[in-house]
């Protein structure tokens, strides 16, 4: 059979499939939407406040402030932490763009540090190396749901008097040394973008923090800098989490612990089925508790593997094809990414995210694993 015919006939397993989640929760979600329509309160109301309380509790933090997106959560938190022009903020060389672009948005300068190739998180030794007298903050990203080394990063930040901001956009529900992500830094940012493991039906985000001053400032900043209605203390933004998203998220939040368990089961199933292959599988390095927002493997001939899997009916994704210092957006601030960030560059060449969602069945998991075995066997045949 020709490869393209095979692709047409094979059942496609999508890399992510939100329709299954929404089909299962449809009645609950519609009832929640109806409640908000009946109340006709759409911005800054009881649902948003309840969601803030629930997520603060989940993250082990005293306060949570809902905003319009994860990117805004980063931007507003940085401003609330006093970061601005002239400041440097250390952030990983491998992440989603917002972990660094938010720093530019507040007028500060992102300083990239290389990652640990096993966990894809900031390498603490690289953070030390990136430090200058202008360093003011560290953004620790818990990429794919694996927490960064928060004990060491907290010690570095404290020792140097820097603010520590957790980008927990991919890791709500994860923990490090038994303490939830979101409870480690001065503040943490959550994203409820639809494809995140706690996703809204649109854009939404949140800042969680133990610091009353940071919470109060973010509350003001998200609402035109208003301290009270129509009294504007400072220049703010319009960045609120609306009641419809809040109510939908509250329905989903009740299922999050079960979903995380299902993701962890899926990861151990993959590990059992894919062990022994020449692939680097995701690790869960103690004392981290991974939530597998993605199940991302590394392979030298990543693009060949992705094509072979597509022909076998398995969709994959590349998060992310470029290290941040190689993005044209940051060209002004970095000259030679390959030299300075070898591990971030290697990650961007090698990462491949397999289908990963709580609703993936055991049979589908086996189909994916078989396809990986076959794709690698075909490749070995081709090369010998
Ligand atoms: C998704 C994401 C963001 C941004 O969140 P949005 O809600 O899409 O603005 C920031 N950082 C990381 C690591 C993300 O994955």
């Amino acid at each position: 059979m020709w490869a393209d015919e095979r692709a047409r006939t094979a059942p496609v397993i999508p890399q992510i499939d939100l329709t299954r989640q929404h089909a299962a929760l449809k009645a609950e979600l519609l009832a929640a939407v109806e409640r908000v329509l009946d109340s006709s309160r759409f911005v800054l109301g009881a649902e948003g406040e309840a969601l803030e309380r629930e997520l603060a509790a989940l993250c082990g933090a005293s306060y949570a402030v809902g905003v319009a997106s994860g990117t805004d959560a980063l931007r507003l938190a940085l401003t609330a932490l006093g970061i601005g022009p002239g400041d440097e903020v250390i952030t990983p060389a491998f992440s989603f763009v917002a972990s660094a672009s938010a720093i530019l948005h507040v007028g500060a300068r992102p300083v990239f540090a290389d990652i640990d190739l096993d966990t894809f998180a900031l390498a603490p030794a690289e953070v030390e190396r990136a430090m200058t007298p202008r360093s003011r903050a560290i953004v620790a990203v818990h990429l794919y749901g694996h927490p960064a080394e928060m004990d060491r990063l907290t010690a570095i930040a404290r020792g140097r008097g820097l603010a520590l901001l957790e980008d927990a956009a991919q890791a709500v529900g994860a923990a490090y040394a038994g303490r939830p992500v979101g409870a480690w830094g001065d503040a943490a940012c959550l994203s409820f973008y639809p494809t995140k493991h706690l996703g809204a039906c649109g854009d939404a985000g949140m800042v969680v923090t133990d610091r009353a001053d940071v919470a109060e400032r973010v509350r003001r900043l998200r609402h035109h800098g208003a301290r009270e209605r129509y009294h504007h203390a400072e220049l703010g933004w319009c960045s609120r989490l609306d009641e419809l998203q809040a109510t939908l998220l509250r329905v989903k939040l009740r299922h999050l612990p079960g979903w995380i368990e299902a993701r962890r089961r899926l990861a151990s199933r993959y590990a059992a089925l894919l062990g022994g292959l020449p692939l680097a599988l995701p690790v869960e390095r103690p004392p981290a508790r991974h939530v597998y927002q993605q199940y991302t493997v590394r392979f030298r001939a990543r693009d060949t593997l992705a094509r072979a899997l597509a022909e076998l009916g398995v969709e994959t994704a590349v998060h992310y094809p470029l290290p941040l210092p190689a993005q044209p957006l940051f060209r002004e601030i970095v000259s030679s990414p390959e030299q300075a960030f070898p591990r971030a560059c290697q990650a961007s060449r090698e990462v491949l995210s397999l289908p990963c969602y709580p609703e993936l069945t055991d049979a589908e998991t086996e189909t994916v694993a078989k396809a990986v075995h076959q794709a690698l066997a075909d490749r070995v045949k081709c090369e010998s």
Side-chain angles (χ1 to χ4, degrees), residues 69-72 74 95-96 98-99 141 143 167 169-170 190-193 196 203-205 320:
S69 69
T71 305
D72 275 2
L74 287 165
S95 182
F96 179 63
S99 309
V141 184
L143 203 67
D167 180 343
Q170 301 186 6
L190 312 181
S191 164
F192 310 117
Y193 183 75
K196 302 290 156 88
D203 278 306
Y320 302 91

Side-chain angles (χ1 to χ4, degrees), residues 5-305:
E5 269 175 48
R6 197 160 57 172
R8 266 204 306 277
T9 53
V12 171
I13 299 180
Q15 202 269 326
I16 178 163
D17 181 0
L18 295 174
T19 62
R20 300 183 194 190
Q21 180 196 98
H22 292 125
L25 300 183
K26 198 163 179 180
E28 275 182 272
L29 293 171
L30 288 175
V33 167
E34 204 167 347
R35 273 198 306 278
V36 171
L37 285 179
D38 289 347
S39 83
S40 285
R41 169 107 194 206
F42 294 113
V43 171
L44 297 179
E47 292 292 326
E49 281 168 20
L51 182 69
E52 290 174 349
R53 279 195 301 275
E54 289 161 3
L55 276 162
L58 179 70
C59 295
S62 308
Y63 310 95
V65 186
V67 296
S69 69
T71 305
D72 275 2
L74 287 165
R75 191 171 63 137
L76 271 55
L78 285 166
T79 302
L81 289 167
I83 308 300
D87 297 338
E88 290 183 357
V89 180
I90 298 168
T91 193
F94 185 68
S95 182
F96 179 63
V97 66
S99 309
S101 59
I103 299 165
L104 283 182
H105 272 295
V106 302
R109 182 171 179 271
V111 173
F112 294 110
D114 212 348
I115 55 162
D116 180 313
L117 208 44
D118 291 329
T119 62
F120 302 101
L122 262 184
E126 298 297 324
V127 173
E128 303 258 27
R129 282 197 343 150
M131 209 79 78
T132 80
R134 287 170 171 264
S135 305
R136 291 289 176 270
I138 301 169
V139 175
V141 184
H142 309 308
L143 203 67
Y144 308 145
H146 191 294
E149 279 177 70
M150 293 316 292
D151 47 356
R152 291 181 64 194
L153 293 173
T154 308
I156 293 171
R158 286 223 183 98
R160 307 280 189 133
L162 307 189
L164 180 58
L165 180 59
E166 293 176 71
D167 180 343
Q170 301 186 6
V172 61
Y176 192 82
R179 192 164 156 198
V181 303
W184 284 87
D186 292 277
C189 301
L190 312 181
S191 164
F192 310 117
Y193 183 75
T195 60
K196 302 290 156 88
H197 59 301
L198 177 63
C201 300
D203 278 306
M206 197 165 280
V207 176
V208 299
T209 179
D210 256 341
R211 286 179 49 176
D213 61 324
V214 171
E216 197 201 315
R217 185 100 190 267
V218 174
R219 257 178 227 291
R220 217 188 309 154
L221 289 170
R222 73 172 173 180
H223 193 46
H224 304 285
R227 205 187 283 279
E228 53 185 300
R229 183 173 263 209
Y230 304 135
H231 288 75
H232 303 278
E234 63 175 321
L235 182 63
W237 287 279
C238 175
S239 179
R240 297 157 310 217
L241 189 157
D242 68 77
E243 290 287 282
L244 280 171
Q245 297 308 334
T247 201
L248 294 168
L249 282 165
R250 290 186 68 208
V251 170
K252 293 193 182 191
L253 184 57
R254 292 199 287 273
H255 299 274
L256 184 66
W259 288 342
I260 289 175
E261 281 315 314
R263 285 175 180 274
R264 290 177 56 81
R265 266 198 310 278
L266 172 62
S268 44
R269 197 96 188 88
Y270 270 145
L273 295 166
L274 301 174
L277 290 173
L279 279 180
L281 301 180
V283 300
E284 178 179 55
R285 191 195 285 159
R289 184 170 190 273
H290 203 327
V291 293
Y292 296 95
Q293 206 274 322
Q294 295 294 344
Y295 190 86
T296 303
V297 304
R298 283 192 298 111
F299 186 62
R300 206 151 39 81
R302 185 265 318 278
D303 294 332
T304 312
L305 176 59

